[in-house]
Amino acid sequence: MIGLIGYGLVGSRLARSFSGLGVLSMVCDSNPEALRHAATALPGIVVVGDEDALLADPRVRAVVMSQPVAGHMSFARKVLETGRHLYAAPSAAFDVDDCRKLQELATARGMVFTPGFLSQHDPGVARLAGLAQDGSLGRVVSVVARTVAAPETEPEWGDPAAEDIAAILRIVDHVPVVLPPAERGESQGDVTVLAFPSGPVAHVFAPKPGSQPMREIVVVGEAATAAWRIDAMGQGVVTVSGGVSRERVEFPRESALEQACAAFVDALRGAVPPSGDKPCWLKALDVLTTLRERGNARQDKPDTSGWAQDAFVHHTSVVDERVTLGEGVRIWHFCHILPDCRIGAHTNVGQNVMIGPGVTVGARCKIQNNVSVYPGVTLEDGVFCGPSMVFTNVHNPRATIPRMDEARATPVRTGATLGANCTIVCGNEIGPYAFVGAGAVVTRPVPSHALVVGNPARRVGWVCRCGVRLDRELQCPACGARYEHAGSGLRGAPGATPETRDATSPEGHP
């Protein structure tokens, strides 16, 4: 049977869970009022006001502690030394040294010690782990965890960093390399970066007080994105977007706590066979120990000297040194802008985009999700890069032969559109206002205003500056603009309205 110490808000929930499992026999609390509430809520349960009285009862084979271990470490050790198993509520046990010492003592005594990491038992985290590991999200690219003013209604959740790291280790199922924390700006808090050998990079953001309470973990894959969130009321939700399906699953408020309690009871009954692998919570403690030993020695701040005052960079993105961001630039989730890049005013950079190093992007461009803009590529003003389109910069790459000194220039001229999933083989110029269809493979230069599709891409028509296909007379049926042949491409015909003129034409016509 189990004895519980501490009948506060967390302790009362633990008592209900263990009582529902039919294993709670005693509740201990020094507060007489708490004991009266326990006696009323849990008929038939023995209530005592002294910890030694609880340990004196031979029926108590395991103890559940819901008060802080930091002030009761000697008692926690006594529990294990007297041959009893120990469950420490997460709000009680998340001191790295305490947990490690208790784990070592429990192992030596053949006892079960559980620090109650709820992320290990939350069905939402389990769902994320399943999606990440069964291929539903495609290759996992990144994981982001953050907490905003940890919900007061969920005090049984422990230290956010420990919980988040343990959850990420369960989702990715690999041991990471811990990179030094980097301060992401005063308004965004500190971030711990974990790099996994299998490829994903995880960002664990320190809690931010003063906002709407929330916990979340977002897993970004090449095919879809999954997110787990707990709101201010403790309601857990998993959403999946992208790919071929969408999903939204809600989980009962106390399901994680109940499953944690059930797992502890199963371990006591021998229903869970011992494993040679470290549990995720112990691996999380290893990560926290590494961070503490480094002492947060490296506190890099982003170099914002080249940023316009109103430039926006999402807190999950990384912008390296010597980067220029023009007015109104927007850089969204999970992007990486490498050194010496220039991004023009009012350009929008979508999710999971890599740019650079040394790349110039013009003004008013739109770079959609999952695009890499490599050295050698230049985007002039108003270029549209569709989702998952591909640039290359080496014509004949080999993994073992460095050839970046052979990178070929790929200029994309003003106003060009590169459709979703198209590929631009390096060294081919994309002319002003050209339109590359979705999935096309460009193996030769594309003239101005040309519409090209297929593999290899071939011209099938002409497009107006406004993006509408021209008729046989080279006139736009939408805006009425007229064009004429100029070299291999088109230019605005004499007398065309200013809105349709090609400013790059040699005669000054738009």
Side-chain angles (χ1 to χ4, degrees):
M1 301 299 284
I2 289 177
L4 181 141
I5 299 177
Y7 193 77
L9 181 57
V10 176
S12 62
R13 293 182 180 179
L14 288 166
R16 286 198 301 271
S17 294
F18 283 113
S19 178
L21 295 169
V23 295
L24 185 67
S25 62
M26 184 177 295
V27 171
C28 175
D29 199 296
S30 59
N31 185 346
E33 185 66 23
L35 290 182
R36 282 194 291 271
H37 284 297
T40 301
L42 304 166
I45 301 297
V46 177
V47 295
V48 296
D50 181 69
E51 295 172 347
D52 291 333
L54 183 145
L55 290 184
D57 191 326
R59 296 175 301 171
V60 176
R61 293 183 52 233
V63 174
V64 175
M65 294 182 63
S66 66
Q67 77 272 55
V69 167
H72 300 79
M73 185 61 180
S74 60
F75 180 77
R77 292 183 60 89
K78 187 176 181 180
V79 169
L80 295 172
E81 289 170 348
T82 57
R84 291 175 170 85
H85 309 286
L86 177 63
Y87 178 103
S91 57
F94 280 131
D95 178 89
V96 172
D97 285 338
D98 287 347
C99 277
R100 196 175 299 282
K101 290 174 182 176
L102 292 174
Q103 174 65 20
E104 291 172 355
L105 178 58
T107 300
R109 298 277 179 168
M111 298 290 104
V112 174
F113 167 60
T114 300
F117 278 71
L118 292 195
S119 60
Q120 299 304 288
H121 305 283
D122 188 277
V125 175
R127 180 61 179 147
L128 286 190
L131 291 168
Q133 294 167 24
D134 69 8
S136 297
L137 306 181
R139 186 179 69 87
V140 174
V141 176
S142 62
V143 184
V144 175
R146 66 190 183 101
T147 299
V148 177
E152 296 180 0
T153 54
E154 290 296 311
E156 65 266 25
W157 283 85
D159 176 76
E163 288 279 13
D164 290 342
I165 291 172
I168 290 170
L169 295 184
R170 182 180 183 188
I171 292 166
V172 180
D173 197 27
H174 285 86
V175 177
V177 176
V178 182
L179 304 181
E183 188 176 347
R184 305 294 299 155
E186 182 178 348
S187 64
Q188 295 173 336
D190 295 340
V191 58
T192 298
V193 182
L194 308 177
F196 291 86
S198 55
V201 175
H203 295 77
V204 181
F205 287 84
K208 289 175 56 179
S211 302
Q212 182 69 24
M214 178 272 298
R215 298 175 67 98
E216 74 170 357
I217 296 178
V218 180
V219 183
V220 179
E222 291 182 338
T225 298
W228 165 79
R229 292 181 177 87
I230 295 182
D231 62 21
M233 300 305 297
Q235 179 67 54
V237 179
V238 169
T239 57
V240 181
S241 59
V244 297
S245 63
R246 293 181 178 271
E247 174 183 326
R248 176 183 171 88
V249 181
E250 296 186 359
F251 297 97
R253 174 178 171 181
E254 294 188 351
S255 57
L257 182 64
E258 292 170 352
Q259 292 193 30
C261 295
F264 179 64
V265 172
D266 287 343
L268 299 185
R269 292 171 174 168
V272 179
S275 170
D277 295 333
K278 282 186 178 181
C280 287
W281 68 263
L282 193 52
K283 295 177 184 177
L285 292 186
D286 289 340
V287 172
L288 291 173
T289 299
T290 300
L291 291 173
R292 187 179 63 179
E293 289 173 350
R294 291 185 176 182
N296 296 342
R298 181 180 174 187
Q299 291 290 322
D300 298 331
K301 291 186 177 180
D303 175 12
T304 61
S305 59
W307 299 13
Q309 187 173 0
D310 63 347
F312 167 79
V313 177
H314 192 270
H315 63 78
T316 60
S317 290
V318 176
V319 178
D320 290 340
E321 63 275 9
R322 303 184 305 277
V323 170
T324 300
L325 303 181
E327 293 182 2
V329 166
R330 296 289 182 266
I331 297 176
W332 295 99
H333 308 62
F334 317 120
C335 296
H336 189 185
I337 313 301
L338 281 79
D340 303 309
C341 291
R342 300 179 63 87
I343 300 180
H346 305 292
T347 286
N348 190 80
V349 179
Q351 178 176 294
N352 195 34
V353 170
M354 189 279 290
I355 301 176
V359 167
T360 297
V361 176
R364 301 181 305 282
C365 293
K366 286 189 177 181
I367 304 176
Q368 302 292 80
N369 299 354
N370 307 316
V371 174
S372 294
V373 186
Y374 300 115
V377 177
T378 302
L379 307 184
E380 293 187 352
D381 294 348
V383 171
F384 177 89
C385 295
S388 301
M389 64 79 48
V390 176
F391 289 107
T392 68
N393 59 0
V394 175
H395 186 71
N396 55 338
R398 292 291 194 194
T400 58
I401 303 176
R403 285 190 170 133
M404 281 306 299
D405 58 342
E406 302 175 14
R408 300 184 181 184
T410 305
V412 183
R413 301 303 183 190
T414 301
T417 292
L418 309 178
N421 291 299
C422 73
T423 298
I424 311 299
V425 175
C426 60
N428 293 298
E429 177 178 344
I430 310 299
Y433 305 105
F435 200 113
V436 178
V441 178
V442 173
T443 59
R444 64 183 68 182
V446 179
S448 59
H449 294 278
L451 170 63
V452 298
V453 298
N455 181 8
R458 300 186 184 279
R459 188 181 67 80
V460 294
W462 303 100
V463 290
C464 179
R465 179 173 176 173
C466 70
V468 175
R469 189 169 183 172
L470 303 180
D471 61 21
R472 291 174 180 263
E473 284 71 39
L474 300 183
Q475 185 169 7
C476 177
C479 68
R482 293 179 291 108
Y483 295 85
E484 65 181 11
H485 289 283
S488 60
L490 299 183
R491 65 183 180 190
T497 62
E499 289 76 13
T500 62
R501 289 178 181 168
D502 184 355
T504 64
S505 67
E507 289 151 8
H509 294 298

